Amino acid sequence: MNRSERESLIAVARGDQLADVVLRGGKILNVFTGETTVADIAICEGMIAGIGGYDGETVIDLGGQFVLPGFVDAHVHIESAMVTPPEYARAVVPRGTSAVVADPHEIANVLGVPGVEFMLRTSRNLPLDVHIMASPCVPATHMETSGAVLSPQDVQRLLKTDGVLGLAEVMNFPGVIDGAPDMMAKLQIAEGRVRDGHAPGVTGRALQAYLAAGIGSDHECTTADEALEKVRAGAYVMIREGTAAKNLEALAVAVSAENHHRFLFCTDDRHPADLLEEGHIDFLVCRAIQLGIKPLHAIRMATINAAQYFGLERMGAVSPGRFADLITCDSLDAPQIHQVFRRGTLVAENGKLLVDLPRPDSSALPSDFAVPALNADLFSVPAKAGKIRVIEACDGQIITGTQRLEPTLADACAIADSARDLAKLAVIERHHGSEAVGLGFVTGLRLAEGALASSVAHDSHNLVVAGMNDQDMALAAERVAALGGGLVAVRDGEVLAELALPIAGLMSDLPLPVVRDQVAHLKAVSRELGSTTADPYMLLSFLALPVIPELKLTDQGLVDVDAFEIVPLFSS
């Protein structure tokens, strides 16, 4: 805001100058006091000048609707919606979301700083504030091969970039707790800036050490006890309800009148169908209320709490000096969003976006896949003595368990076995042509035949394939590579369904509804292949993430996350 704009804002607030816009007849929820007041909202230059009795050049009658500040998603990876920021905005803005705090570490792991710059560039001039965080853990660990590395100097450069708010989730929690030099350097660079956390299952002295490093939040809690321990230690807890990880029901009981100001809402990773059909933060607010959180508390968790944690002083409340990013709804008990105002302009109504969005140009981004010859031999697992370590996938969660099972053998090789819900799993390095391939087995995908493959494989986003025979796995991987990235389903040597993700192997350049429909077809085909999981591709994408317990697979091999080391497939 420049001096002239400030003077005009003050003049409107005094009543000496007509407002640009007055919103009249709304019941304004005060998130500071919990009161509801019927009053005018005077808007000047996109800012709220005053609440009371005002006149304006334009007067909009809200017809008795409740007026709330726009919602804030406290932690999201936009790339996980598989669309670009404009298409993402098309989905979430009509749902009442005014701002998101985005960690672009998905594309950073593939393309590095140019990928982050692409997200920054394509997030401008939207009816949505996209606050980018600088990703400190690219790659997340030393036990995987990413497409790029963000050095402390890269993080420092990003933190100096307009639009970058602070340090994104510090995923290498063992490195922080142990005082690893690289992590210490990145935390020091971000001194004085907000620093997000990632500490699944971290408790006791390890938690104290992690927070002592200056970490301010965590979004990985899965139990109420874990959340309360972190809140008691001074952290903000972001309650996550995404597509793969759904923690709201388990954590709602931790929220009370005394501590709700330390809780925020986030989606982390949410697929197109959930965004379009369930919703965004509006869905979390309604669900939280259903689970017993008071409406006022749930709304605060979606608005002012996030604004205060991130230092977004112009957001989070309907009050003078803040952005006129407002939403209206009929009820506070189950808020259904009616109108969405962006800087005082109506941008969405009854679920429909009313403004045009730019189509980003991604032509300058590289899209080559550097993978080895993808034939069935690549996926062969010669038998050895002992049992095999098996990843136990958990539907609705991104954590996994560990099993030790006798392998099913054929021709002196360990193979998949549908009778035991045992699928073969492979992660193929796709960035540098190293020909590194990690092989393992997984239960919980519930495949009976065929293969699924994806270039979305958190966080290094190598090529992940799960299947019941090596030939179909090879074809599925080959087709993903030919698409320049994407999701594929194969059975008996035939590609049954696919979605191309040509932008870094993570995002489509198609409209969100089209992507939603193609993903729905892939999920339907996966059910034909036997999988009864809610979203097998989202579940598959997290089996390669070596910072979420308990057992994961990268291109370097099986990772015991608790021990933070690579372990052999066969165990005596």
Side-chain angles (χ1 to χ4, degrees):
M1 181 189 304
N2 60 38
R3 178 172 179 173
S4 174
E5 291 169 339
R6 191 182 307 277
E7 289 172 347
S8 293
L9 189 70
I10 294 170
V12 171
R14 290 195 309 261
D16 295 339
Q17 179 178 317
L18 284 177
D20 298 332
V21 177
V22 168
L23 303 182
R24 180 163 291 163
K27 292 178 282 191
I28 303 166
L29 177 65
N30 189 313
V31 294
F32 301 118
T33 67
E35 299 169 295
T36 302
T37 305
V38 177
D40 295 337
I41 303 172
I43 299 169
C44 175
E45 301 285 353
M47 308 285 292
I48 298 173
I51 310 295
Y54 288 95
D55 291 317
E57 300 285 352
T58 300
V59 177
I60 299 174
D61 185 0
L62 299 181
Q65 295 271 311
F66 286 96
V67 184
L68 316 177
F71 295 148
V72 181
D73 188 334
H75 175 76
V76 65
H77 306 288
I78 292 175
E79 306 98 306
S80 290
M82 294 183 283
V83 292
T84 58
E87 282 301 312
Y88 182 81
R90 189 186 306 279
V92 304
V93 170
R95 294 287 191 166
T97 302
S98 293
V100 299
V101 180
D103 176 4
H105 76 207
E106 316 298 355
I107 198 168
N109 268 281
V110 179
L111 300 176
V113 171
V116 178
E117 291 172 340
F118 172 79
M119 297 301 286
L120 278 163
R121 185 170 64 254
T122 56
S123 295
R124 298 187 183 118
N125 303 314
L126 301 179
L128 175 74
D129 282 334
V130 179
H131 299 283
I132 297 291
M133 301 286 276
S135 308
C137 298
V138 177
T141 75
H142 62 283
M143 296 174 288
E144 58 194 315
T145 306
S146 62
V149 174
L150 292 188
S151 67
Q153 292 74 25
D154 292 326
V155 172
Q156 186 173 41
R157 170 186 165 188
L158 289 170
L159 285 170
K160 293 179 179 179
T161 303
D162 185 40
V164 176
L165 195 59
L167 201 64
E169 58 177 313
V170 183
M171 303 181 74
N172 188 358
F173 57 90
V176 173
I177 294 165
D178 293 341
D182 181 68
M183 293 314 306
M184 295 301 100
K186 290 175 179 178
L187 288 169
Q188 187 61 42
I189 287 167
E191 185 68 27
R193 307 285 285 271
V194 64
R195 287 167 281 193
D196 277 349
H198 168 111
V202 178
T203 62
R205 288 186 174 179
L207 175 63
Q208 300 296 312
Y210 187 69
L211 298 180
I215 309 296
S217 67
D218 182 59
H219 62 274
E220 295 291 347
C221 295
T222 58
T223 69
D225 287 344
E226 181 184 358
L228 287 171
E229 182 179 355
K230 288 171 178 174
V231 168
R232 291 185 186 116
Y236 280 83
V237 167
M238 301 174 182
I239 298 180
R240 170 178 57 193
E241 190 76 0
T243 293
K246 302 178 186 292
N247 308 124
L248 178 52
E249 185 171 357
L251 301 187
V253 294
V255 180
S256 67
E258 293 77 17
N259 69 17
H260 74 275
H261 62 286
R262 302 296 290 187
F263 287 91
L264 321 174
F265 286 129
C266 77
T267 59
D268 200 1
D269 301 279
R270 203 154 170 82
H271 266 188
D274 290 339
L275 288 172
L276 291 173
E277 294 159 20
E278 286 185 346
H280 191 225
I281 299 299
D282 60 320
F283 172 76
L284 275 69
V285 170
C286 290
R287 182 69 180 130
I289 294 169
Q290 291 172 355
L291 292 169
I293 296 177
K294 292 183 178 181
L296 173 63
H297 297 169
I299 292 167
R300 283 172 171 164
M301 291 162 65
T303 58
I304 190 63
N305 290 7
Q308 290 178 334
Y309 168 62
F310 286 107
L312 302 173
E313 60 182 20
R314 301 264 184 212
M315 305 194 72
V318 186
S319 63
R322 295 182 187 250
F323 292 135
D325 293 344
L326 309 170
I327 57 180
T328 69
C329 59
D330 292 324
S331 167
L332 299 182
D333 294 327
Q336 300 298 310
I337 309 305
H338 176 47
Q339 295 170 306
V340 180
F341 293 88
R342 161 78 172 178
R343 308 295 198 262
T345 298
L346 184 66
V347 294
E349 189 167 26
N350 296 327
K352 301 294 184 183
L353 195 69
L354 304 178
V355 295
D356 294 329
L357 297 176
R359 182 165 182 169
D361 179 9
S362 62
S363 60
L365 298 179
S367 59
D368 293 338
F369 264 60
V371 294
L374 297 170
N375 53 53
D377 292 342
L378 188 70
F379 301 92
S380 179
V381 179
K384 296 182 180 179
K387 295 182 178 181
I388 53 172
R389 290 181 170 89
V390 176
I391 299 170
E392 184 180 11
C394 305
D395 198 14
Q397 298 295 337
I398 60 177
I399 58 172
T400 61
T402 301
Q403 297 176 302
R404 297 198 183 201
L405 303 176
E406 293 289 344
T408 298
L409 300 177
D411 299 324
C413 289
I415 63 170
D417 187 344
S418 61
R420 303 170 65 192
D421 182 26
L422 185 66
K424 186 178 285 186
L425 187 67
V427 177
I428 305 164
E429 194 275 309
R430 71 169 173 102
H431 305 296
H432 306 292
S434 69
E435 301 190 0
V437 180
L439 295 172
F441 291 87
V442 58
T443 63
L445 286 179
R446 304 170 201 161
L447 283 175
E449 55 183 334
L452 308 177
S454 172
S455 57
V456 179
H458 301 278
D459 272 336
S460 289
H461 298 290
N462 287 304
L463 180 48
V464 61
V465 194
M468 305 311 294
N469 68 79
D470 296 350
Q471 292 75 21
D472 281 348
M473 291 178 71
L475 176 58
E478 185 178 44
R479 184 57 186 159
V480 169
L483 291 172
L487 314 180
V488 169
V490 166
R491 179 178 58 198
D492 297 334
E494 180 184 359
V495 176
L496 302 180
E498 64 185 32
L499 166 65
L501 300 174
I503 303 175
L506 301 173
M507 291 176 282
S508 170
D509 53 3
L510 297 174
L512 186 69
V514 175
V515 176
R516 183 264 318 269
D517 292 345
Q518 292 190 18
V519 171
H521 181 51
L522 281 156
K523 290 166 68 175
V525 168
S526 72
R527 287 191 290 272
E528 293 176 11
L529 301 181
S531 180
T532 57
T533 60
D535 192 324
Y537 285 95
M538 183 65 92
L539 198 59
L540 181 65
S541 73
F542 282 101
L543 297 181
L545 181 56
V547 289
I548 297 289
E550 177 176 301
L551 184 66
K552 297 297 171 74
L553 180 70
T554 75
D555 65 302
Q556 300 300 309
L558 280 172
V559 176
D560 181 330
V561 180
D562 293 333
F564 215 58
E565 65 181 12
I566 293 175
V567 294
L569 173 60
F570 288 86
S571 171
S572 57

